[in-house]
Amino acid sequence: MSSKARSRFQRLAVLAAALGAAVLVGAGAGAGAGAGQAMPDGRPTPSGQPVPRWLSLKSSEVHARHGPGLDYRILWEYRASGLPVQVIAETTEWRKICDPDGAVAWVHRSVVSSRRSVFNASPREVAIHASRSEASPVRARLAPRSLVSVDECEDGWCQVRVRRMRGWVRERAVFGAQQRAMCNAARPAGRDR
């Protein structure tokens, strides 16, 4: 190869490397910090998902741990598949969650699902309306300590589904729909508030 050809090849290689680096930097920004997903302390989330966010428990046997790892002691066991929990912090493999009783614990990412549900944590029934209005007919009532699947939430209302029946509940009447963090992410794991 002539020196002129070698020089041209080197310039092309440098240009290709620069373009490759620019693409990698752009991809990294889109996946994490550039996507605007941050933990309460400002660090980007490892998953690229927002914190806080809602998930549900996949299994009826989920260990709640004191910290993010198998070497941390088990605080209790959740026995409610589908229970909504709010992720308030995370590591690559672990999610720090807030449950309907206001307790904080760490669970492995494999035991939570993005399927949404809401929970009636109150001692009273919650009306499920035909539309997003208190004046609309009541189609059903959600019993205390009951779960129901949720399709979407908008304008302070959540569309819920039980078998073939669909209806709307007030967002503030159930646990699993609020936009704000329900527990302080800096709080240590445990039942103390």
Side-chain angles (χ1 to χ4, degrees):
M1 179 183 300
S2 72
S3 66
K4 189 175 186 180
R6 193 177 9 231
S7 176
R8 185 173 183 184
F9 178 75
Q10 287 173 337
R11 281 193 308 256
L12 286 174
V14 168
L15 181 60
L19 286 173
V23 168
L24 287 175
V25 168
Q37 309 308 336
M39 301 259 276
D41 64 6
R43 292 178 297 136
T45 60
S47 67
Q49 298 294 315
V51 171
R53 71 177 177 280
W54 292 101
L55 298 175
S56 62
L57 300 180
K58 279 185 186 178
S59 167
S60 60
E61 293 181 13
V62 174
H63 290 147
R65 294 189 178 270
H66 191 262
L70 294 174
D71 52 336
Y72 287 92
R73 69 180 158 74
I74 296 171
L75 298 171
W76 59 82
E77 187 173 271
Y78 290 105
R79 293 189 171 264
S81 179
L83 182 72
V85 293
Q86 187 180 51
V87 177
I88 55 174
E90 65 180 31
T91 68
T92 303
E93 295 294 317
W94 295 84
R95 306 297 180 249
K96 189 176 191 181
I97 61 167
C98 176
D99 70 22
D101 293 328
V104 173
W106 287 90
V107 297
H108 192 268
R109 69 180 176 87
S110 66
V111 300
V112 290
S113 168
S114 60
R115 283 189 219 167
R116 295 280 308 274
S117 61
V118 291
F119 180 74
N120 179 5
S122 79
R124 296 176 305 284
E125 292 181 335
V126 172
I128 300 176
H129 292 272
S131 65
R132 289 181 289 170
S133 167
E134 295 281 351
S136 69
V138 174
R139 287 196 161 164
R141 295 190 182 276
L142 183 60
R145 310 291 295 171
S146 295
L147 291 167
V148 65
S149 296
V150 69
D151 291 330
E152 64 177 313
C153 294
E154 58 182 68
D155 300 328
W157 289 85
C158 293
Q159 185 179 38
V160 297
R161 162 175 40 89
V162 180
R163 295 185 187 102
R164 293 183 190 202
M165 193 278 303
R166 291 183 189 271
W168 295 85
V169 296
R170 290 297 268 167
E171 186 178 280
R172 68 177 181 263
V174 291
F175 179 86
Q178 295 73 10
Q179 298 298 315
R180 72 186 195 294
M182 302 303 291
C183 295
N184 181 348
R187 203 176 99 205
R191 294 193 189 273
D192 298 332
R193 289 184 182 233

